[in-house]
Amino acid sequence: MAGTVWKVLVSEGDVVESGQDVIILESMKMEIPLSAEMDGKVSKIMTNEGDFVAEGDVLLELEGI
Amino acid sequence: MNDQWAKELQDRVQKIQAGGATKYHEKNAEQNKLFVRDRLELLLDPGTIRVEDGLFANCMEEGLPADGVVTVTGKMNGQTVCVMANDSTVKAGSWGSRTVEKIIRIQETAQKLKVPMLYLVDSAGARITDQLEMFPNRRGAGRIFYNQVKMSGMVPQVCILFGPSAAGGAYIPAFCDIVIMVDKNASMYLASPRMAEMVIGQKVTLEEMGGARMHCSVSGCGDVLAKNEEEAIEIARRYLSYFPANYKHKTSKIEAKSIQEGIRSIEEIVPDNQNVAFDMKEMIRAIIDDNSFFEMKELFAKEIITGFARIDGRAVGIIANQSKMKTGSLFVDSADKSARFITLCDAFNIPLIFLSDIPGFMIGTQVERSGIIRHGAKMIAAMSEATVPKISIIVRKAYGAGLYAMAGPAFEPDCCLALPTAKIAVMGPEAAVNAVYSNKIAQLEESERNEFIQQKREEYQEDINLYRLASELIIDGIIAPERLRDELKERLELYESKEMIFSERKHPVYPV
């Protein structure tokens, strides 16, 4: 959903597990944790803390390992 | 009777009951599809009475047994029901004139008996070669939909979609109260991918165009996604167990069960910090009878939860904000989803329970452009008009028009009760202080700002203090979380005799 990127919890190159929170958005005065949908390595982060993002935007790319 | 006649009758019946050619039965089996009469065996109570009309429809023609549709009246969960079921082994379940006439007649029977009507759909659509006989006339296919609209709210109408439901046929599910779709096999579309490519040049797969999963999660045309046919039939049986036979009756109370064993207490489930999400489904399980939740549109607009349950054996409809999904704010789809569910419960005398934890209606250009205001109006209209017992529970936040949509005090709920974690306000403290004092804050020195904001937020908190709201009789009571289930049990029992007429008129001008 539309909101602001509050915290980016991972860095490029990090290995994450499916279900692990990677980014927290802030919208409607609520925290919205976004979690990885698969195990993988963070290959690219395409957003900065404070950015306004909309539904459908890609914030981060994972590559399978 | 003459032996030869008896033999002829028996042979003919057997042949018709066997459906279409063997190759079509084999094709069905390959797709994990059951024969229409086997579906009916699973749907109806085993070994109970049933009658079938129109078995001999189109029997003078070769290869059109029962004209591709079985229409029966029988028993389901002990309740009389009417059923029409397409036979996909007969010309892919397509409709000829007698198919349509049979469907119309079973609908008329359901209206006369005032019993639920089930549509077991698996049909390629109209037989174009027969169009003059089955399409445009007074008792052509259009009459099926006309009847459905007439029956809507009179008797429950259930659709199980086993295969395609194409073109005009796609309106059968559209006019039902619930559409259960079998994953992979069921589909619904006005034009097939082949037609879309020919007419508008679009290339898509059938699943993208009108697959079961797409409809249950994206378009909202489907309500429940079933793994296979057996599950779909079981879901239909379970769904109807929450309903009376028609709008004149109430669902029977069944034996009460206690809550699910090992579930956490509401106090543990609901975080005090309004900014942190929690799973509202867990909270629902903490107040309802064990294993009694039947969720509608589970995969669609997940920020609102809508479903049937039993509390102390009584059927209820629950509408609850899910802060875990999109903050629990109301969006275009979630407002529609709620409006429809509320209307469904109200039509069949199922009491409504609202569990609020809502930051408000979603804001921003995206939702404004999609008409969030008119979609929100649908939900507020449906909720206002509902005359069944209406219980409003403020679990946590109820901000802005969110309070209104969730049956706030102005919308004549039978009661509006708050848990101690509740916050009722036009908006949250952060946003409110900013809205009222933004000029003042901008004028202040950097060093003074934080203190000022903090002070104003505290004043605001005091202003919306729950006991103040209770003292002003805005809410009817504050209840301890561990009392909630008992409170609901008692109120549901006491409100049973509720009877009211909402308004005098022909009908409202629906906000759509």
Side-chain angles (χ1 to χ4, degrees):
Chain A
M1 70 187 286
T4 316
V5 177
W6 184 45
K7 281 182 186 162
V8 178
L9 303 172
V10 291
S11 310
E12 286 179 8
D14 283 4
V15 172
V16 296
E17 284 175 15
S18 173
Q20 181 184 334
D21 290 347
V22 288
I23 285 177
I24 306 178
L25 293 185
E26 200 260 288
S27 183
M28 301 296 283
K29 301 289 164 199
M30 291 282 293
E31 297 165 18
I32 310 162
L34 304 179
S35 53
E37 282 173 8
M38 58 174 216
D39 294 345
K41 195 165 93 178
V42 179
S43 53
K44 204 171 176 193
I45 297 175
M46 286 114 118
T47 190
N48 295 303
E49 289 179 0
D51 285 357
F52 174 78
V53 294
E55 194 158 348
D57 287 358
V58 178
L59 307 184
L60 176 151
E61 273 179 12
L62 284 182
E63 63 183 42
I65 43 170
Chain B
M1 188 166 60
N2 179 321
D3 275 359
Q4 204 185 333
W5 291 353
K7 175 90 176 53
E8 186 191 352
L9 177 60
Q10 197 190 4
D11 286 352
R12 278 180 178 257
V13 167
Q14 266 176 7
K15 198 168 170 223
I16 294 169
Q17 284 180 340
T22 314
K23 61 178 176 181
Y24 299 118
H25 284 272
E26 286 167 359
K27 201 178 149 210
N28 263 1
E30 273 168 33
Q31 296 176 305
N32 291 320
K33 285 166 75 164
L34 297 168
F35 177 48
V36 61
R37 290 182 188 275
D38 296 330
R39 286 174 184 158
L40 288 169
E41 280 309 311
L42 290 175
L43 184 78
L44 299 170
D45 295 342
T48 52
I49 51 165
R50 80 189 57 159
V51 292
E52 175 176 353
D53 288 327
L55 180 73
F56 298 97
N58 224 355
C59 69
M60 307 309 282
E61 283 291 325
E62 195 48 40
L64 288 166
D67 213 26
V69 69
V70 180
T71 52
V72 296
T73 305
K75 295 277 183 186
M76 206 172 141
N77 306 325
Q79 160 70 52
T80 304
V81 295
C82 288
V83 189
M84 79 107 221
N86 297 128
D87 183 351
S88 56
T89 67
V90 178
K91 287 216 168 181
S94 62
W95 295 359
S97 68
R98 293 167 191 83
T99 326
V100 170
E101 181 62 28
K102 281 177 73 175
I103 299 172
I104 292 171
R105 287 190 192 181
I106 193 79
Q107 288 181 309
E108 289 167 346
T109 304
Q111 285 177 60
K112 283 184 274 191
L113 305 182
K114 291 221 166 32
V115 297
M117 175 76 216
L118 291 104
Y119 303 85
L120 274 52
V121 177
D122 188 1
S123 164
R127 280 177 215 151
I128 298 172
T129 46
D130 297 2
Q131 65 162 309
L132 202 67
E133 294 78 32
M134 58 69 63
F135 168 65
N137 213 341
R138 292 185 184 200
R139 287 175 76 87
R143 181 56 68 101
I144 298 172
F145 312 129
Y146 176 85
N147 281 344
Q148 279 191 284
V149 174
K150 211 165 146 180
M151 292 158 77
S152 174
M154 176 197 293
V155 295
Q157 295 190 91
V158 176
C159 174
I160 312 179
L161 208 50
F162 294 103
S165 162
Y171 283 99
I172 283 196
F175 291 119
C176 280
D177 307 340
I178 179 173
V179 182
I180 301 160
M181 297 183 80
V182 178
D183 200 11
K184 309 279 190 298
N185 284 347
S187 60
M188 213 192 309
Y189 46 83
L190 291 187
S192 65
R194 194 174 55 174
M195 179 86 98
E197 190 174 347
M198 271 167 50
V199 179
I200 61 171
Q202 184 181 38
K203 286 184 187 173
V204 290
T205 63
L206 182 62
E207 182 60 35
E208 283 170 323
M209 179 68 94
R213 185 165 289 276
M214 188 286 281
H215 278 305
C216 290
S217 58
V218 181
S219 78
C221 290
D223 292 283
V224 187
L225 186 67
K227 281 200 293 288
N228 51 42
E229 297 205 355
E230 289 83 354
E231 191 185 72
I233 290 167
E234 189 46 44
I235 289 168
R237 289 180 58 89
R238 221 156 70 75
Y239 169 83
L240 273 185
S241 74
Y242 293 90
F243 283 81
N246 59 54
Y247 74 100
K248 289 185 171 174
H249 296 103
K250 287 182 185 172
T251 311
S252 319
K253 186 174 182 285
I254 60 168
E255 200 185 328
K257 282 195 218 160
S258 46
I259 60 167
Q260 187 185 324
E261 220 172 290
I263 200 109
R264 294 194 296 161
S265 71
I266 294 174
E267 224 170 335
E268 288 171 289
I269 296 167
V270 182
D272 297 340
N273 183 351
Q274 300 276 349
N275 304 342
V276 177
F278 74 97
D279 186 5
M280 184 61 97
K281 283 192 193 168
E282 195 183 353
M283 156 126 190
I284 292 173
R285 285 199 297 274
I287 55 175
I288 64 170
D289 295 6
D290 187 17
N291 205 16
S292 72
F293 199 50
F294 183 102
E295 193 167 350
M296 293 286 277
K297 292 193 179 6
E298 183 180 1
L299 304 174
F300 177 73
K302 295 177 184 175
E303 60 276 14
I304 195 101
I305 303 166
T306 55
F308 305 101
R310 297 265 181 184
I311 293 180
D312 200 27
R314 282 194 177 76
V316 294
I318 296 177
I319 296 125
N321 310 116
Q322 174 62 294
S323 60
K324 241 181 68 170
M325 302 306 299
K326 294 178 161 186
T327 73
S329 299
L330 278 164
F331 284 69
V332 168
D333 284 343
S334 33
D336 282 4
K337 172 175 164 181
S338 315
R340 185 165 167 87
F341 182 74
I342 292 166
T343 311
L344 174 59
C345 291
D346 190 48
F348 296 107
N349 311 310
I350 300 173
L352 290 164
I353 296 173
F354 293 81
L355 301 173
S356 305
D357 178 24
I358 177 168
F361 279 90
M362 184 58 189
I363 58 168
T365 53
Q366 203 178 10
V367 289
E368 295 293 359
R369 289 173 66 93
S370 327
I372 184 81
I373 298 170
R374 69 187 170 86
H375 290 281
K378 282 188 239 180
M379 177 176 179
I380 294 173
M383 175 276 303
S384 301
E385 278 185 56
T387 56
V388 287
K390 208 156 78 175
I391 299 178
S392 169
I393 305 292
I394 316 292
V395 176
R396 241 177 17 158
K397 60 181 98 58
Y399 291 160
L403 171 70
Y404 291 175
M406 295 299 286
F411 295 85
E412 220 169 311
D414 296 286
C415 63
C416 179
L417 304 171
L419 296 188
T421 36
K423 280 224 165 16
I424 299 171
V426 169
M427 55 181 91
E430 298 90 349
V433 170
N434 199 43
V436 180
Y437 298 106
S438 66
N439 286 341
K440 173 95 188 186
I441 292 169
Q443 285 162 12
L444 287 174
E445 294 295 324
E446 189 83 40
S447 57
E448 295 167 336
R449 267 184 206 166
N450 272 345
E451 197 189 334
F452 178 80
I453 293 172
Q454 205 46 47
Q455 185 202 336
K456 289 295 166 199
R457 281 186 189 172
E458 275 163 28
E459 283 173 27
Y460 188 81
Q461 293 283 14
E462 195 41 46
D463 207 33
I464 60 169
N465 180 297
L466 205 53
Y467 289 94
R468 191 165 165 216
L469 294 175
S471 164
E472 298 293 342
L473 297 173
I474 294 165
I475 49 175
D476 299 297
I478 304 172
I479 44 172
E482 66 270 17
R483 260 284 307 165
L484 182 57
R485 180 176 152 90
D486 286 337
E487 184 86 23
L488 289 170
K489 275 194 210 172
E490 290 164 11
R491 288 189 185 260
L492 286 167
E493 181 174 345
L494 295 168
Y495 294 160
E496 265 205 339
S497 59
K498 183 179 178 186
E499 216 182 291
M500 67 179 276
I501 290 167
F502 176 67
S503 177
E504 213 176 294
R505 59 186 168 186
K506 187 172 170 202
H507 61 66
V509 180
Y510 301 101
V512 291

